[in-house]
Amino acid sequence: MIPTGKDTVCFYRDDFDTQTWYSYNYRTKELTELPDFFPDDPDLASAILYSNNNYSFYLDGYFYFVDPTSNLKTVLKTDMSGNKVPLTPYENSSFNLRCYGTGLYSLPGNSQNETKLYSMDLEELASVPVPQKEAAHGLTEPFRLRGNYSVGGKIYRKGNTESDSTDYLFCLDPSAATPEWTNLGKLSDQPLFIREYMEGMLVCEPILGKYYYCLENYENTVFDLSTGEAVFELGELYKPVAYFGGDRYIGYGGSPREYRWVDLSTRTMSDPLKLPDKLFSLYFLNETYCVYTDEYGVFLWNFETGEETTIFMDKT
């Protein structure tokens, strides 16, 4: 499920031969079949809104994704009518696409290629070469950049050189007059959370902006990814799954799993939300509605009243 507007959500159905995408307005209850704006590839079913962690995402009326039918060499920007704008940043080389907040950046498959910065209209803003390390005889050697995350509008990567296996942390500020990589020092000198996150040792989910919830090693802890500081301990409170602003979020926990409102100002939880007994997947749209799937189809559910509306029926 991909939210595509204030009142709409986009989803697809797969009959093993073809994928058909739909948009659904949960206020007017209107279901619309969409044109073929995605390549016919099942991997794109996993496209979600967490744009700084995934190569496919929706933002401000457009989908952005790396086209898998081009062997990850082309990014496509497409609207809901199927109008596509292609871009190939590195000619015949593969890459990954990320969003740093107000723009896009491409990560080349070759660790020594430049990082390219783009506007959301795919206009190239800058091409930033890899940082260099001084070597003997006035020579330099390039760092090999790996890993990445973006927070606070800045991009972070780690890297070492062929002659020095020590990893350093680098930061790129796209808003600078001349964007370039800044060496922040040895990765081993960074806060533990940042070190382990950059090393791929942690599984974390963004809650809002720079705040990330850690799913392992530091379970029940919210971190500020820009500083590596632990800012909140959940304790007995349920883990966050949906946040819509204010002092509360929807959390999940228990066995069998249940969902409750978690009030951060009082550190209390509501009674369990009214949800269907059997469901395959669940996506919270706002403070009132969620969409869920089961063996019969896709349904809109009001978890305040328990009222159900059929969106799409696979079986009758």
PDB file of all heavy atoms in Angstrom, residues 19-32:
ATOM      1  N   GLN A  19       0.244  -7.878 -13.214  1.00  0.00           N
ATOM      2  CA  GLN A  19      -0.011  -7.020 -12.073  1.00  0.00           C
ATOM      3  C   GLN A  19      -0.889  -5.855 -12.525  1.00  0.00           C
ATOM      4  O   GLN A  19      -0.630  -5.257 -13.569  1.00  0.00           O
ATOM      5  CB  GLN A  19       1.283  -6.460 -11.493  1.00  0.00           C
ATOM      6  CG  GLN A  19       2.158  -7.483 -10.807  1.00  0.00           C
ATOM      7  CD  GLN A  19       3.399  -6.830 -10.214  1.00  0.00           C
ATOM      8  OE1 GLN A  19       3.596  -5.636 -10.363  1.00  0.00           O
ATOM      9  NE2 GLN A  19       4.217  -7.619  -9.553  1.00  0.00           N
ATOM     10  N   THR A  20      -1.916  -5.569 -11.770  1.00  0.00           N
ATOM     11  CA  THR A  20      -2.769  -4.422 -12.059  1.00  0.00           C
ATOM     12  C   THR A  20      -2.760  -3.498 -10.860  1.00  0.00           C
ATOM     13  O   THR A  20      -2.986  -3.932  -9.732  1.00  0.00           O
ATOM     14  CB  THR A  20      -4.221  -4.873 -12.346  1.00  0.00           C
ATOM     15  OG1 THR A  20      -4.215  -5.831 -13.406  1.00  0.00           O
ATOM     16  CG2 THR A  20      -5.069  -3.673 -12.746  1.00  0.00           C
ATOM     17  N   TRP A  21      -2.463  -2.211 -11.129  1.00  0.00           N
ATOM     18  CA  TRP A  21      -2.395  -1.224 -10.064  1.00  0.00           C
ATOM     19  C   TRP A  21      -3.691  -0.430 -10.002  1.00  0.00           C
ATOM     20  O   TRP A  21      -4.313  -0.137 -11.025  1.00  0.00           O
ATOM     21  CB  TRP A  21      -1.212  -0.286 -10.292  1.00  0.00           C
ATOM     22  CG  TRP A  21       0.092  -0.932  -9.990  1.00  0.00           C
ATOM     23  CD1 TRP A  21       0.828  -1.750 -10.802  1.00  0.00           C
ATOM     24  CD2 TRP A  21       0.832  -0.812  -8.779  1.00  0.00           C
ATOM     25  NE1 TRP A  21       1.970  -2.149 -10.166  1.00  0.00           N
ATOM     26  CE2 TRP A  21       1.995  -1.594  -8.918  1.00  0.00           C
ATOM     27  CE3 TRP A  21       0.618  -0.129  -7.581  1.00  0.00           C
ATOM     28  CZ2 TRP A  21       2.937  -1.698  -7.919  1.00  0.00           C
ATOM     29  CZ3 TRP A  21       1.554  -0.234  -6.581  1.00  0.00           C
ATOM     30  CH2 TRP A  21       2.703  -1.011  -6.748  1.00  0.00           C
ATOM     31  N   TYR A  22      -4.094  -0.061  -8.780  1.00  0.00           N
ATOM     32  CA  TYR A  22      -5.325   0.674  -8.551  1.00  0.00           C
ATOM     33  C   TYR A  22      -5.056   1.831  -7.587  1.00  0.00           C
ATOM     34  O   TYR A  22      -4.135   1.764  -6.763  1.00  0.00           O
ATOM     35  CB  TYR A  22      -6.397  -0.220  -7.925  1.00  0.00           C
ATOM     36  CG  TYR A  22      -6.804  -1.405  -8.758  1.00  0.00           C
ATOM     37  CD1 TYR A  22      -6.123  -2.615  -8.651  1.00  0.00           C
ATOM     38  CD2 TYR A  22      -7.879  -1.317  -9.640  1.00  0.00           C
ATOM     39  CE1 TYR A  22      -6.494  -3.708  -9.410  1.00  0.00           C
ATOM     40  CE2 TYR A  22      -8.273  -2.413 -10.401  1.00  0.00           C
ATOM     41  CZ  TYR A  22      -7.570  -3.605 -10.285  1.00  0.00           C
ATOM     42  OH  TYR A  22      -7.945  -4.694 -11.034  1.00  0.00           O
ATOM     43  N   SER A  23      -5.865   2.858  -7.700  1.00  0.00           N
ATOM     44  CA  SER A  23      -5.912   3.877  -6.653  1.00  0.00           C
ATOM     45  C   SER A  23      -7.312   3.844  -6.047  1.00  0.00           C
ATOM     46  O   SER A  23      -8.296   3.559  -6.747  1.00  0.00           O
ATOM     47  CB  SER A  23      -5.603   5.269  -7.202  1.00  0.00           C
ATOM     48  OG  SER A  23      -6.621   5.712  -8.075  1.00  0.00           O
ATOM     49  N   TYR A  24      -7.381   4.138  -4.754  1.00  0.00           N
ATOM     50  CA  TYR A  24      -8.659   4.084  -4.053  1.00  0.00           C
ATOM     51  C   TYR A  24      -8.794   5.313  -3.176  1.00  0.00           C
ATOM     52  O   TYR A  24      -7.897   5.613  -2.373  1.00  0.00           O
ATOM     53  CB  TYR A  24      -8.742   2.823  -3.199  1.00  0.00           C
ATOM     54  CG  TYR A  24     -10.025   2.711  -2.397  1.00  0.00           C
ATOM     55  CD1 TYR A  24     -11.221   2.391  -3.013  1.00  0.00           C
ATOM     56  CD2 TYR A  24     -10.023   2.941  -1.019  1.00  0.00           C
ATOM     57  CE1 TYR A  24     -12.404   2.293  -2.284  1.00  0.00           C
ATOM     58  CE2 TYR A  24     -11.196   2.851  -0.274  1.00  0.00           C
ATOM     59  CZ  TYR A  24     -12.388   2.526  -0.919  1.00  0.00           C
ATOM     60  OH  TYR A  24     -13.546   2.430  -0.203  1.00  0.00           O
ATOM     61  N   ASN A  25      -9.890   6.055  -3.364  1.00  0.00           N
ATOM     62  CA  ASN A  25     -10.201   7.207  -2.535  1.00  0.00           C
ATOM     63  C   ASN A  25     -11.109   6.741  -1.409  1.00  0.00           C
ATOM     64  O   ASN A  25     -12.243   6.337  -1.650  1.00  0.00           O
ATOM     65  CB  ASN A  25     -10.897   8.296  -3.360  1.00  0.00           C
ATOM     66  CG  ASN A  25     -11.104   9.575  -2.570  1.00  0.00           C
ATOM     67  OD1 ASN A  25     -11.684   9.573  -1.489  1.00  0.00           O
ATOM     68  ND2 ASN A  25     -10.631  10.686  -3.117  1.00  0.00           N
ATOM     69  N   TYR A  26     -10.590   6.753  -0.183  1.00  0.00           N
ATOM     70  CA  TYR A  26     -11.360   6.166   0.904  1.00  0.00           C
ATOM     71  C   TYR A  26     -12.414   7.128   1.472  1.00  0.00           C
ATOM     72  O   TYR A  26     -13.130   6.755   2.402  1.00  0.00           O
ATOM     73  CB  TYR A  26     -10.453   5.642   2.018  1.00  0.00           C
ATOM     74  CG  TYR A  26      -9.402   6.580   2.529  1.00  0.00           C
ATOM     75  CD1 TYR A  26      -9.662   7.493   3.544  1.00  0.00           C
ATOM     76  CD2 TYR A  26      -8.108   6.543   2.022  1.00  0.00           C
ATOM     77  CE1 TYR A  26      -8.691   8.342   4.023  1.00  0.00           C
ATOM     78  CE2 TYR A  26      -7.124   7.380   2.500  1.00  0.00           C
ATOM     79  CZ  TYR A  26      -7.424   8.278   3.496  1.00  0.00           C
ATOM     80  OH  TYR A  26      -6.447   9.116   3.967  1.00  0.00           O
ATOM     81  N   ARG A  27     -12.535   8.331   0.896  1.00  0.00           N
ATOM     82  CA  ARG A  27     -13.639   9.209   1.283  1.00  0.00           C
ATOM     83  C   ARG A  27     -14.804   9.065   0.299  1.00  0.00           C
ATOM     84  O   ARG A  27     -15.967   8.973   0.695  1.00  0.00           O
ATOM     85  CB  ARG A  27     -13.170  10.661   1.368  1.00  0.00           C
ATOM     86  CG  ARG A  27     -12.108  10.879   2.445  1.00  0.00           C
ATOM     87  CD  ARG A  27     -11.929  12.335   2.762  1.00  0.00           C
ATOM     88  NE  ARG A  27     -10.837  12.539   3.708  1.00  0.00           N
ATOM     89  CZ  ARG A  27     -10.945  12.410   5.022  1.00  0.00           C
ATOM     90  NH1 ARG A  27     -12.116  12.064   5.551  1.00  0.00           N
ATOM     91  NH2 ARG A  27      -9.906  12.609   5.818  1.00  0.00           N
ATOM     92  N   THR A  28     -14.469   9.026  -1.016  1.00  0.00           N
ATOM     93  CA  THR A  28     -15.524   8.872  -2.015  1.00  0.00           C
ATOM     94  C   THR A  28     -15.809   7.409  -2.323  1.00  0.00           C
ATOM     95  O   THR A  28     -16.777   7.099  -3.016  1.00  0.00           O
ATOM     96  CB  THR A  28     -15.126   9.573  -3.322  1.00  0.00           C
ATOM     97  OG1 THR A  28     -13.975   8.918  -3.884  1.00  0.00           O
ATOM     98  CG2 THR A  28     -14.797  11.036  -3.070  1.00  0.00           C
ATOM     99  N   LYS A  29     -14.953   6.500  -1.822  1.00  0.00           N
ATOM    100  CA  LYS A  29     -15.069   5.049  -2.067  1.00  0.00           C
ATOM    101  C   LYS A  29     -14.932   4.729  -3.551  1.00  0.00           C
ATOM    102  O   LYS A  29     -15.532   3.774  -4.062  1.00  0.00           O
ATOM    103  CB  LYS A  29     -16.409   4.512  -1.528  1.00  0.00           C
ATOM    104  CG  LYS A  29     -16.676   4.856  -0.065  1.00  0.00           C
ATOM    105  CD  LYS A  29     -15.629   4.292   0.852  1.00  0.00           C
ATOM    106  CE  LYS A  29     -15.994   4.431   2.325  1.00  0.00           C
ATOM    107  NZ  LYS A  29     -15.997   5.809   2.821  1.00  0.00           N
ATOM    108  N   GLU A  30     -14.120   5.505  -4.274  1.00  0.00           N
ATOM    109  CA  GLU A  30     -13.935   5.306  -5.714  1.00  0.00           C
ATOM    110  C   GLU A  30     -12.664   4.510  -5.977  1.00  0.00           C
ATOM    111  O   GLU A  30     -11.578   4.881  -5.531  1.00  0.00           O
ATOM    112  CB  GLU A  30     -13.864   6.662  -6.429  1.00  0.00           C
ATOM    113  CG  GLU A  30     -13.686   6.536  -7.931  1.00  0.00           C
ATOM    114  CD  GLU A  30     -13.605   7.892  -8.617  1.00  0.00           C
ATOM    115  OE1 GLU A  30     -13.595   8.920  -7.898  1.00  0.00           O
ATOM    116  OE2 GLU A  30     -13.550   7.928  -9.853  1.00  0.00           O
ATOM    117  N   LEU A  31     -12.796   3.420  -6.730  1.00  0.00           N
ATOM    118  CA  LEU A  31     -11.671   2.575  -7.125  1.00  0.00           C
ATOM    119  C   LEU A  31     -11.355   2.835  -8.589  1.00  0.00           C
ATOM    120  O   LEU A  31     -12.242   2.770  -9.443  1.00  0.00           O
ATOM    121  CB  LEU A  31     -12.010   1.101  -6.915  1.00  0.00           C
ATOM    122  CG  LEU A  31     -10.935   0.080  -7.313  1.00  0.00           C
ATOM    123  CD1 LEU A  31      -9.734   0.172  -6.380  1.00  0.00           C
ATOM    124  CD2 LEU A  31     -11.516  -1.332  -7.301  1.00  0.00           C
ATOM    125  N   THR A  32     -10.073   3.138  -8.905  1.00  0.00           N
ATOM    126  CA  THR A  32      -9.677   3.459 -10.273  1.00  0.00           C
ATOM    127  C   THR A  32      -8.526   2.559 -10.693  1.00  0.00           C
ATOM    128  O   THR A  32      -7.511   2.466  -9.991  1.00  0.00           O
ATOM    129  CB  THR A  32      -9.230   4.930 -10.390  1.00  0.00           C
ATOM    130  OG1 THR A  32     -10.286   5.783  -9.938  1.00  0.00           O
ATOM    131  CG2 THR A  32      -8.868   5.266 -11.829  1.00  0.00           C
TER     132      THR A  32
END
